[in-house]
Amino acid sequence: LAPAPAAPSQQGQQQQASSIFNPAATVMAAAATGNQEAMVNAGIGVGKQFLQESTARFLPGLETTMRILRNYFAVDNRYVKAKIQRILFPFMKREWTRVQNDIASGEPVTAISYASPINDENAFDLYIPLMALITYVLLCALCYGSAGEFNPEVLPEVAKWCFGTQAVEVLLLRGGFYAMEAPCAFLDLFSLTGYKYLGLCINMLVGLALSTLGHGYAAYYLAFFWTASAFGFFVLKTLSNNVPRRTA
């Protein structure tokens, strides 16, 4: 007797299972066309889809976290130069308001959406704070080494101390925003408090450069006076122009 034909629902399930558990079929179909570029693109697409499905299944929330962090690292050379100038010479700047993204007509307004750093030099980023923190830790190790007191444990100790003090600063600022009932993201505060490492690196570089002339301490404190004043003004203007006039 001939076997009974499979039901349409069973055929659909078999086709779906083959597309899930046999992703090579997509690559083979592209290879059958004879187009090598299409085969490579199909292979890359299958790999990306597999990684996305795997991470979404075993690490829930990872995709959302990476999407949020990706926005804080969307920088280019123009933004980095403009941001460093804004941090070190904020007295020369006049515009401090962040650029808001346009909301399509008909969509509900749930929260204010700001432009990414690559489109707005007033935006918050984590690239400059991270690179400045790494540079600051290495400069501290260099200072210990020049004094003959270097120890490999200096690097993690300095990094932990910096992260701990920054976490306290973020919590204090977040408490102030909570008291004002003003919205503010934790990553924005981490970015804002992380910009200070740029000034600390400048101070140490100036002190190390002029230490050979015997003016290391004087140069360090002179640079510290400038960078501390500039960073204080930068934080004041940034917060005053980005905190909503009306809070909840």
Side-chain angles (χ1 to χ4, degrees):
L1 295 177
S9 59
Q10 295 178 354
Q11 293 179 355
Q13 292 176 359
Q14 292 176 358
Q15 293 177 357
Q16 183 179 5
S18 63
S19 62
I20 292 176
F21 296 102
N22 189 17
T26 305
V27 181
M28 296 300 296
T33 61
N35 190 340
Q36 185 177 4
E37 183 178 357
M39 182 177 64
V40 173
N41 293 333
I44 294 175
V46 170
K48 288 183 178 179
Q49 182 180 2
F50 175 76
L51 289 177
Q52 291 175 357
E53 293 178 355
S54 299
T55 54
R57 186 182 302 111
F58 296 105
L59 298 174
L62 179 62
E63 183 179 358
T64 303
T65 303
M66 295 302 297
R67 184 170 62 251
I68 295 174
L69 290 176
R70 192 180 301 117
N71 185 60
Y72 284 91
F73 286 92
V75 301
D76 56 2
N77 293 334
R78 181 201 60 81
Y79 169 82
V80 173
K81 293 178 182 178
K83 196 69 171 185
I84 290 176
Q85 293 175 359
R86 182 173 291 270
I87 296 172
L88 297 179
F89 306 100
F91 312 103
M92 303 171 60
K93 305 297 181 179
R94 294 292 179 268
E95 181 61 38
W96 293 89
T97 305
R98 296 183 63 178
V99 177
Q100 298 183 10
N101 291 325
D102 296 331
I103 301 176
S105 59
E107 293 185 359
V109 181
T110 57
I112 300 177
S113 177
Y114 294 104
S116 59
I118 199 172
N119 298 318
D120 179 20
E121 65 180 50
N122 286 317
F124 296 106
D125 74 284
L126 290 175
Y127 175 80
I128 294 178
L130 180 60
M131 295 298 105
L133 173 60
I134 295 174
T135 305
Y136 177 72
V137 172
L138 295 177
L139 286 175
C140 289
L142 177 61
C143 291
Y144 277 100
S146 61
E149 300 178 358
F150 177 76
N151 191 315
E153 296 181 357
V154 168
L155 298 176
E157 289 295 332
V158 174
K160 288 190 297 183
W161 175 258
C162 292
F163 185 79
T165 54
Q166 186 176 355
V168 173
E169 294 173 356
V170 170
L171 291 177
L172 292 176
L173 288 174
R174 190 65 185 89
F177 276 96
Y178 179 79
M180 294 186 298
E181 298 184 357
C184 187
F186 267 103
L187 290 180
D188 289 350
L189 297 180
F190 268 103
S191 172
L192 183 63
T193 56
Y195 289 132
K196 66 177 179 293
Y197 298 116
L198 177 62
L200 295 176
C201 292
I202 297 296
N203 302 338
M204 298 186 70
L205 287 174
V206 171
L208 290 173
L210 297 180
S211 61
T212 56
L213 302 177
H215 303 288
Y217 285 101
Y220 174 85
Y221 286 109
L222 183 62
F224 175 79
F225 175 77
W226 174 263
T227 55
S229 303
F231 182 69
F233 186 81
F234 169 79
V235 172
L236 176 64
K237 298 296 290 185
T238 300
L239 293 181
S240 62
N241 285 271
N242 290 283
V243 175
R245 295 292 183 268
R246 293 183 178 181
T247 57

